[in-house]
Amino acid sequence: NPGRDLLAAAVVLAIAVAWLRFSPAREFPTLNIILDTGAFLLSGVIAFLLWDMGWRTAQTLSRLKAVCFVVFCMMELLHVFTSLDVSAGPVIIQNFSELLRLGTLAPAAYLLPLGLLAALALRERPVNLPLFGGWLLVVGMFLLLVQQRVPSYSPQMLFGITRPEFLLLPFLWIPVVLGNVRLRAVDRLAPLFANFATLMILMPAFMSFSSGTADAAAMSGHFAKVISELFLLFGLMQLGTMDTARRMRAEQELLSSNEALEARVGARTAELQTVNADLRREVQVREVAEKRTHMQLERLDLLQRITHAIAERQDLESIFQVVVRSLEDHLPVDFAALCNYEHHARILTVSRVGTRSAPLALDLAMTERARIEIDENGLSRCVAGQLVYEPDIANVPFPFPQRLAGAKLGSMVIVPLMVEQRSGVFGVLVVARHAIDAFSSGDCEFLRQLCDHVSLAANQAQLHESLQQAYEDLQLTQNAILQHERLRALGQMASGIAHDINNAISPISLFTELLLEREAAISPRSRENLKTIQRSIEDVSQTVARMREFYRGREPELALAQVDLNAVIGQVLEVTRARWSDLPQRRGAMIELRQELAGDLPEVRAAESEVRDALINLVFNAADAMSNGGVMTIRSRRIVERGGTAQAVIEVGDTGVGMSEETRRRCMEPFFTTKGERGTGLGLAMVYGMAERHGATFEVDSVLGTGTTMRLIFPASAAMPQAHAVEPAAVAAPGPVERMRILVIDDDPVLLNSLRETLEGDGHSVIVADGGQLGIDAFIAGQRRSRPFNVVLTDLGMPYVDGRQVAAAIRAASPRTPIVMLTGWGRRLLSENDTPEHVDRVLSKPPKLLELRAVLADLAKKGTDLFS
């Protein structure tokens, strides 16, 4: 329990500090040497434990921390050397010790948090550990050189501080604490290191007030360091002990299973040895009995060898293979097969056939995976749990014995495989010989005992398989949880990005509409460019609205319209020209574009912006695949299915690097990318999502090293599912609206300016307020001066006072004043039916002039008494 251990360490430190405070002695030179030596030894042991944990778990962070403690241990050893009495030693050692006496403690103290911070920063990167250690040594030597030129003590400063060299040290330990706290969910060592770093903050806090190398304040700092390291050491040892305990429990369970199997073998062995001993003590033992005893001993040895062989295997198939091969080689038999039994279907399925039995298995139609029906004689009794011996199978008038007799086999034994005679039969061993009456009672007993051991081994194999499956299921569950967290984080990020993008493009949208509406002198070329900008703004708005599709369901209805796919292709090529033409040419590559567009392409019902975005993604993928240039082919064609249904096909092909089969299968998965840091893994996933929503098909054909063709197949308009085709409601242009006094509240000055210019151009009186509180103040001031506002337009997300607070304050001041919320989250609020309280209407950013004018006209119609 890191929290409990931290409290214990704090109590021990408090006792040590109290003892030093009230001790009659003022200097503690011997204790200084002891604590310095202890710190050196503890850091070495901690480095060893961390390295061992990192080696066993393959964790880079643990090994980086181990390297930090190794270098720290070396610095501590240097500090211990300076604490020793070398007055009797050579002069050079005395001079070296004197030179370093006051300059080793602080560098070592600063080096450890610096190293741990570097380890946290590099934990997910490939790191050369010797180079990392060398870097730390260089930093340590640099700190030693700096320390030689910085006085270790000074006259008392603020609060009585005498060693200012330690003042910055706590500010290095604080990020170590925070970094490990953030990792506590993924690194089990993180809580230990967070508490360790917390305790280490006390070391410089005490040392800053020391006036000598061995006074009470200095010893308090040393105690803080040693107790911190002891706390970390005990925590690491506890983790190691828990790992060892878990491993020992697993080994003990395996040992218990093996001992149970060996006990059964031993019990059977003892039983057979007793019988054999009784037979040997008989005076009138015949030669046949001696031969039988010899054969029984051979069977026992064979049983032991087979038992040991199958005990080393963990899967049922290999266990069965060992059994049939051993019976052929050592019993021996002419035919051996092991079958699985299906209770509900009452069918045997051949699982394994001996190598020497393979030719007979072909004649008997008993090759592996062959199925055998249960007859009413031997097989029926065997699957009921009995050993069945047929000495002359030619005289048994049932299908299975007659099948064996047809292959010149004379006698057979079939033995059930079952666990403790309680779980029912799960398999059957079939052995046969060409001779009639070829199996003795000893053979039958051997086969029965062998099947008992095979049953135990099979049970162990099934338990092992179940444990393995449980482990794999746990891994899948963990991966699913991580994936869910990634999607949730993406959703939160997408919501914020969508809001910011909608805010940013709102002024562009308004001014574009104003130019198209009011500037009659614009040239036709400029007007077409403005329309392209307007269409691109709408695409951006639709794109940010679809960003939620990765973390939440789509709205139940999809707005569709007739789309000319050839026209969309032309727009896409114009928009992406810089990516597939200009940029490659700058680096010396040339991408040749080939268009093969069918003139009879049927129109489809679709969301045009989504189709356009999908084609843009496909063009970008094709361009990225041809970094050295190539040919990009965009093709549209009409195909007709057997039923006469027409379909429209769009293909984007390239002559680039192509994909492996594994990459082709996974390319539509979210977050899967082969582009490294340049890719997000969302492009083809969004294309696939668009195809699914439109009832279309998305296909990818690719050959590694040759190129890739990506294909979208849309059903024609008549074939589209009409349940999802909802035409977007057209907003009728409103008639003239009486001049109104409008208050506009937003925290974006550019948007405020565009809205004011737009509304004033329509003849309204507009007052703008930069923020929620200023808006409330402006509204109340208008009320007091008897100049009330007819309508209030307010944003939702604003600092300090948001749109909900603004709406509540205005509603309290004037219950009948209409409030319109204009926000980048408008689509989400409308789709979730989450209109904020006190708000009459919700509009999405970027605003559209027709929608804005229609809302103002509607509010004016419903509240003409407010606009007088």
Side-chain angles (χ1 to χ4, degrees):
N1 187 330
R4 181 190 60 201
D5 295 344
L6 177 63
L7 179 60
V11 171
V12 172
L13 177 59
I15 293 173
V17 172
W19 174 75
L20 290 170
R21 175 66 179 83
F22 295 104
S23 174
R26 289 295 176 265
E27 295 287 334
F28 305 87
T30 303
L31 180 60
N32 182 31
I33 296 176
I34 292 173
L35 293 178
D36 284 340
T37 305
F40 155 68
L41 295 175
L42 286 172
S43 58
V45 173
I46 291 171
F48 173 77
L49 289 177
L50 287 172
W51 184 264
D52 179 66
M53 286 187 175
W55 175 77
R56 285 189 289 106
T57 61
Q59 286 187 346
T60 302
L61 182 56
S62 296
R63 285 183 277 188
L64 288 172
K65 290 179 178 179
V67 172
C68 294
F69 273 93
V70 167
V71 179
F72 179 65
C73 177
M74 297 169 63
M75 298 292 289
E76 285 292 320
L77 177 61
L78 189 62
H79 183 62
V80 170
F81 171 76
T82 62
S83 301
L84 299 177
D85 184 7
V86 294
S87 58
V91 175
I92 187 171
I93 294 179
Q94 296 179 22
N95 293 338
F96 182 68
S97 175
E98 184 63 27
L99 177 65
L100 298 178
R101 184 172 302 277
L102 298 179
T104 56
L105 178 60
Y110 275 95
L111 182 64
L112 183 57
L114 288 173
L116 292 177
L117 286 174
L120 290 173
L122 299 174
R123 68 183 186 278
E124 295 181 352
R125 302 179 182 178
V127 180
N128 186 313
L129 294 177
L131 182 62
F132 179 69
W135 175 83
L136 289 180
L137 283 174
V138 170
V139 173
M141 295 301 102
F142 173 76
L143 292 174
L144 283 174
L145 292 176
V146 172
Q147 182 63 34
Q148 301 305 315
R149 290 164 173 77
V150 176
S152 297
Y153 296 92
S154 68
Q156 287 193 354
M157 303 169 61
L158 185 64
F159 304 117
I161 294 174
T162 57
R163 298 192 72 175
E165 60 183 347
F166 289 101
L167 290 179
L168 294 178
L169 194 53
F171 298 99
L172 292 179
W173 281 112
I174 290 174
V176 176
V177 173
L178 297 178
N180 282 282
V181 168
R182 285 196 298 269
L183 293 178
R184 65 185 183 277
V186 296
D187 182 7
R188 61 177 183 166
L189 298 182
L192 282 176
F193 272 90
N195 292 338
F196 165 72
T198 301
L199 288 172
M200 285 296 290
I201 294 175
L202 299 176
M203 180 262 190
F206 287 125
M207 295 297 296
S208 298
F209 297 94
S210 64
S211 57
T213 59
D215 63 1
M219 291 304 97
S220 297
H222 282 68
F223 265 119
K225 176 170 64 176
V226 171
I227 290 173
S228 300
E229 292 183 340
L230 280 172
F231 164 78
L232 180 59
L233 175 62
F234 290 158
L236 293 174
M237 292 174 66
Q238 286 176 348
L239 289 178
T241 301
M242 289 188 290
D243 290 344
T244 302
R246 284 195 294 267
R247 185 167 59 252
M248 290 178 66
R249 283 196 298 270
E251 293 175 352
Q252 186 62 38
E253 291 174 359
L254 181 60
L255 180 61
S256 298
S257 299
N258 290 334
E259 287 177 351
L261 181 60
E262 292 292 342
R264 290 181 61 85
V265 173
R268 297 295 176 84
T269 301
E271 179 183 337
L272 291 177
Q273 287 176 343
T274 301
V275 173
N276 291 333
D278 292 340
L279 290 175
R280 285 194 297 269
R281 283 193 295 268
E282 294 179 3
V283 178
Q284 298 178 347
V285 178
R286 297 181 179 182
E287 183 179 356
V288 176
E290 291 177 354
K291 182 178 180 180
R292 184 179 302 163
T293 302
H294 179 68
M295 291 180 63
Q296 287 177 337
L297 291 174
E298 287 183 347
R299 297 291 180 268
L300 177 61
D301 179 64
L302 177 59
L303 178 63
Q304 289 178 330
R305 282 186 282 130
I306 295 176
T307 300
H308 285 294
I310 63 179
E312 296 173 355
R313 286 159 173 79
Q314 298 293 342
D315 63 288
L316 198 59
E317 297 296 327
S318 62
I319 290 173
F320 283 180
Q321 184 63 41
V322 168
V323 171
V324 294
R325 187 175 66 241
S326 300
L327 291 176
E328 285 183 329
D329 294 342
H330 302 292
L331 189 58
V333 295
D334 298 314
F335 179 78
L338 271 163
C339 307
N340 292 319
Y341 176 52
E342 302 175 20
H343 289 267
H344 301 293
R346 286 185 60 79
I347 290 292
L348 292 176
T349 302
V350 180
S351 178
R352 277 290 181 270
V353 176
T355 304
R356 298 178 185 175
S357 305
L360 278 176
L362 289 174
D363 296 337
L364 297 170
M366 288 183 62
T367 55
E368 294 180 3
R369 303 294 179 265
R371 296 168 69 84
I372 304 170
E373 295 185 359
I374 305 297
D375 59 32
E376 295 302 325
N377 188 32
L379 287 180
S380 180
R381 287 184 286 133
C382 183
V383 297
Q386 299 180 27
L387 181 146
V388 177
Y389 172 42
E390 297 289 355
D392 188 358
I393 56 179
N395 295 326
V396 182
F398 289 97
F400 185 65
Q402 288 301 310
R403 180 189 296 187
L404 297 182
K408 308 300 183 183
L409 293 171
S411 56
M412 73 171 182
V413 179
I414 48 180
V415 191
L417 298 175
M418 56 195 305
V419 180
E420 297 296 333
Q421 299 184 355
R422 293 178 301 178
S423 302
V425 175
F426 68 88
V428 170
L429 170 64
V430 180
V431 292
R433 287 173 173 158
H434 288 298
I436 297 174
D437 199 12
F439 292 92
S440 65
S441 60
D443 292 335
C444 293
E445 176 64 17
F446 166 76
L447 291 171
R448 184 183 66 78
Q449 294 180 16
L450 174 63
C451 286
D452 286 347
H453 296 305
V454 172
S455 298
L456 284 175
N459 184 47
Q460 284 187 326
Q462 290 172 346
L463 289 175
H464 179 268
E465 183 178 356
S466 298
L467 289 173
Q468 183 67 28
Q469 183 62 42
Y471 176 73
E472 292 175 357
D473 291 343
L474 177 61
Q475 283 188 319
L476 290 174
T477 302
Q478 291 174 337
N479 291 338
I481 292 173
L482 290 176
Q483 180 75 348
H484 174 75
E485 290 300 316
R486 291 171 67 187
L487 290 174
R488 185 178 63 83
L490 176 63
Q492 294 173 349
M493 178 185 70
S495 179
I497 292 175
H499 175 266
D500 293 344
I501 291 176
N502 284 330
N503 271 343
I505 65 176
S506 291
I508 304 174
S509 175
L510 282 174
F511 283 130
T512 302
E513 287 194 66
L514 285 177
L515 288 173
L516 287 171
E517 180 182 274
R518 299 177 181 176
E519 299 295 332
I522 297 178
S523 67
R525 176 66 175 172
S526 298
R527 184 169 295 276
E528 285 301 317
N529 290 340
L530 286 173
K531 289 182 179 179
T532 301
I533 293 173
Q534 191 177 37
R535 185 167 54 248
S536 298
I537 293 170
E538 179 63 25
D539 288 351
V540 170
S541 178
Q542 294 292 333
T543 298
V544 297
R546 291 196 303 274
M547 291 175 72
R548 291 178 292 145
E549 294 163 8
F550 289 101
Y551 72 101
R552 61 192 296 268
R554 188 174 177 88
E555 287 77 15
E557 294 184 343
L558 178 66
L560 305 178
Q562 293 287 351
V563 175
D564 182 351
L565 295 179
N566 284 340
V568 174
I569 291 174
Q571 297 169 5
V572 168
L573 292 177
E574 185 65 29
V575 170
T576 60
R577 183 173 299 277
R579 182 73 168 268
W580 59 262
S581 177
D582 300 344
L583 291 178
Q585 288 181 14
R586 292 179 186 175
R587 58 175 186 266
M590 174 64 111
I591 295 180
E592 178 185 350
L593 174 66
R594 296 179 183 175
Q595 296 187 60
E596 301 173 8
L597 305 182
D600 60 345
L601 194 67
E603 287 190 342
V604 299
R605 293 183 65 82
E608 182 176 335
S609 60
E610 292 198 17
V611 176
R612 189 182 299 112
D613 283 349
L615 291 179
I616 288 173
N617 273 313
L618 297 184
V619 170
F620 283 173
N621 268 30
D624 291 342
M626 298 183 290
S627 58
N628 297 323
V631 178
M632 179 170 65
T633 303
I634 298 185
R635 182 182 297 109
S636 68
R637 55 193 171 92
R638 175 193 184 99
I639 61 174
V640 180
E641 293 184 333
R642 291 182 179 178
T645 303
Q647 292 182 313
V649 181
I650 300 178
E651 292 181 345
V652 179
D654 64 72
T655 59
V657 295
M659 306 180 193
S660 66
E661 181 59 23
E662 172 68 14
T663 301
R664 189 195 67 78
R665 284 191 298 102
R666 299 189 58 196
C667 65
M668 300 180 198
E669 295 180 9
F671 307 108
F672 176 78
T673 180
T674 59
K675 300 178 183 178
E677 296 181 355
R678 296 185 300 110
T680 63
L682 298 179
L684 295 185
M686 292 182 69
V687 176
Y688 177 78
M690 182 281 299
E692 287 292 304
R693 289 189 297 275
H694 287 78
T697 302
F698 182 35
E699 299 176 351
V700 178
D701 298 332
S702 185
V703 177
L704 193 62
T706 300
T708 301
T709 298
M710 297 193 180
R711 185 178 303 108
L712 285 168
I713 305 174
F714 293 90
S717 299
M720 282 295 295
Q722 296 300 318
H724 296 284
V726 179
E727 293 289 351
V731 179
V737 180
E738 186 176 349
R739 184 176 184 272
M740 293 187 288
R741 181 173 165 82
I742 302 174
L743 175 61
V744 181
I745 305 171
D746 204 296
D747 59 337
D748 185 347
V750 178
L751 179 59
L752 285 175
N753 182 49
S754 61
L755 284 171
R756 177 169 58 188
E757 185 172 338
T758 300
L759 294 173
E760 287 179 346
D762 287 347
H764 302 293
S765 173
V766 181
I767 302 297
V768 298
D770 187 5
Q773 187 58 53
L774 291 178
I776 295 172
D777 296 342
F779 184 84
I780 293 175
Q783 293 287 102
R784 290 175 179 173
R785 292 196 299 267
S786 298
R787 298 191 63 192
F789 293 97
N790 304 116
V791 178
V792 175
L793 294 178
T794 180
D795 190 11
L796 174 57
M798 295 181 290
Y800 307 115
V801 178
D802 64 10
R804 287 184 172 88
Q805 294 171 298
V806 169
I810 291 176
R811 183 66 76 224
S814 177
R816 301 182 63 187
T817 300
I819 301 174
V820 179
M821 184 163 283
L822 179 61
T823 173
W825 290 303
R827 290 178 182 269
R828 191 187 74 184
L829 295 176
L830 292 173
S831 65
E832 296 176 354
N833 196 21
D834 188 23
T835 301
E837 188 178 5
H838 308 305
V839 173
D840 298 286
R841 298 292 178 86
V842 174
L843 292 177
S844 297
K845 291 181 180 178
K848 297 179 177 58
L849 284 180
L850 284 179
E851 291 181 0
L852 181 58
R853 289 167 177 167
V855 167
L856 293 177
D858 186 55
L859 292 176
K861 186 185 301 182
K862 293 180 179 179
T864 53
D865 57 329
L866 296 175
F867 304 144
S868 57

